[in-house]
Amino acid sequence: MAPLIRSCIACRKRENPAELLRVVKVVDQVIPDPQHLLPGRGAWLHRTCFDTAKQRGSFNRALRSDVALSTEQLEDFLQQQ
Ligand SMILES: [Zn+2]
């Protein structure tokens, strides 16, 4: 079994995925995928790195989106944690 290590899209630190939150792109939305169930291109970040990722445009780059992605649903999710 291949070691499963992911990098946070904001701080680039390499982590066990259990330490990171997976998000996926659905049309123009960044959707949280805490159970790792959603198909499609995913990106990983620390919950605490959200602000940095948003400021740097890390979501657009990591999810290879040409259109500006909305992080509204992800922000709602993080606020409920
Ligand atoms: Zn991070």
Side-chain angles (χ1 to χ4, degrees):
M1 194 173 152
L4 200 60
I5 298 290
R6 302 292 181 189
S7 294
C8 172
I9 61 171
C11 71
R12 314 305 297 180
K13 189 179 171 209
R14 290 159 62 81
E15 283 281 14
N16 182 310
E19 304 297 321
L20 303 173
L21 174 66
R22 184 176 190 255
V23 298
V24 296
K25 178 172 83 98
V26 178
V27 194
D28 62 349
Q29 302 276 324
V30 181
I31 306 293
D33 179 25
Q35 305 301 321
H36 310 166
L37 294 174
L38 299 176
R41 173 172 289 282
W44 300 75
L45 76 160
H46 296 107
R47 288 162 175 78
T48 51
C49 283
F50 171 78
D51 289 337
T52 306
K54 187 177 178 185
Q55 283 164 17
R56 292 186 186 166
S58 302
F59 293 108
N60 268 59
R61 188 167 56 242
L63 297 167
R64 300 195 186 162
S65 177
D66 296 331
V67 297
L69 295 171
S70 167
T71 54
E72 203 170 312
Q73 291 193 44
L74 178 56
E75 285 176 62
D76 286 348
F77 173 82
L78 290 170
Q79 280 167 12
Q80 288 162 18
Q81 300 285 294

